[in-house]
Amino acid sequence: MSGAVVTNSEAMRAHLAQYVPDHKLSVAYPTVDTTRLQATRDQPPAVAPFPQPDPGLRITVLGRVEESKGQFRVVDALGALRARGVTASVCFVGSWKHPGEDQRLTDRARALGVADHVVFAGEQHIPAPFIEAADVCVTPSTIEAFGRTTAEYMTLGKPVVATRQGGSAELVEPGVTGTLVDADDTAALADALAAYAADPDSARRHGAAAPERLAAVTGSGHDNAAAIERLVALVGTEGYRLPQAARYWFELPGAYASLGATSARAAVGLLANRVRSRSGAVGRLLARPGVVVRKLARR
C-alpha cells in the first residue's frame, strides 16, 4: 500500500523484496551520535571493564544480554582461546530482561574455566568508555537488521568481529576493518580473536580504518537526507486507495463517536442503517432477514 519503503540495511531490503516491489524500496542507514561518542570516550567507565591483573585481549560487547544477541558465543570463544593458551577477557555492557541471564552465562564461563575473565557492566547510558577500553569489539548476534553497536564501535576506531548475518556485514570490510564469521561458528570467532591477540598492530590498523569505512557506507545516498528527498518527491502523486468497503469500516468508529450524547438505541439504529445500506451480504440480511432465513431453510 505504501508509495515507498525505507529500510535500515541492504539485508532488510533484500528480505522485504520478497513482498514489496523493488522500485519502492530504498536504504537509509540509521545515524550514530558521533559527537556524543567522541565527547565521552575518555570519561572513566562507571564499572571497571577489565579488572584482571592480566586481561589479555580486551573485548567489549554492547547490547541487551539475551540469547539472540549471542553473548554466549563470546563466552564459548573465550573457552576455546583458553584451551589454546590465549588469554582474553570480555566486558558485556547491557541489561537483561530475563532474570538470571547473567548467572547462566557466568555458569557457562565457569564450566569453561574463564569466569574470572567475564564482567557484566549492566546498562550504561554512556557506553563510549567501555568501547574505548577494548582492543577489539564483537557483534555476536544471530542476526541484526542494521547493527548499531557495530557502527558505534567503528565510530570510535575499533576493529570489529561480527556475524555475517544482517547489516553488520555491510559495515565491516573483512581484512580492512575487522572480520566476519558465521553466527554459530565458535572456532571461527576464536580464530579471529586469536589473530588480534597475536598481532595487536593489525587491530590498531583495522580500527584506524573503521571510521572512514563507516562514513563511506552510510553516507550520501544512503542517509536520512536521501530518504527525505525520496518521500518529498512522492508528495502530490497518486497514492494507494483503499477499497470502498475497507474505507467504510474504518469510518465506523468515528461515526459512532460523533453521536455524542445520543442514546444507545439511536446509536445502534444509526450504525445498523449504515451497515444495512453499505455492507453487501450483511446489509441484505439486516434489511430482509425473513427472505435470507427462508433461503437457508430450503437448502
Side-chain angles (χ1 to χ4, degrees), residues 112-193:
L112 294 169
V114 295
D116 291 342
H117 288 267
V118 176
V119 168
F120 292 92
E123 183 71 20
Q124 298 292 332
H125 296 295
I126 302 178
F130 295 90
I131 301 173
E132 184 68 15
D135 299 312
V136 59
C137 296
V138 178
T139 302
S141 306
T142 301
I143 189 170
E144 290 284 354
F146 169 55
R148 178 175 295 277
T149 58
T150 299
E152 291 176 344
Y153 302 151
M154 296 176 72
T155 295
L156 292 182
K158 296 297 176 179
V160 181
V161 179
T163 52
R164 67 178 76 254
Q165 290 80 8
S168 289
E170 300 162 32
L171 306 179
V172 175
E173 184 175 359
V176 177
T177 65
T179 305
L180 296 175
V181 298
D182 290 330
D184 291 321
D185 192 342
T186 302
L189 177 56
D191 288 344
L193 295 173

Side-chain angles (χ1 to χ4, degrees), residues 7 9-20 22 25-27 170:
T7 70
S9 67
E10 290 290 350
M12 183 57 68
R13 173 178 178 158
H15 173 71
L16 291 180
Q18 304 173 77
Y19 316 103
V20 180
D22 186 68
L25 292 166
S26 63
V27 175
E170 300 162 32

Side-chain angles (χ1 to χ4, degrees), residues 250-270:
F250 289 147
E251 292 169 1
L252 281 179
Y256 185 84
S258 68
L259 296 175
T262 305
S263 70
R265 176 174 293 183
V268 171
L270 175 60

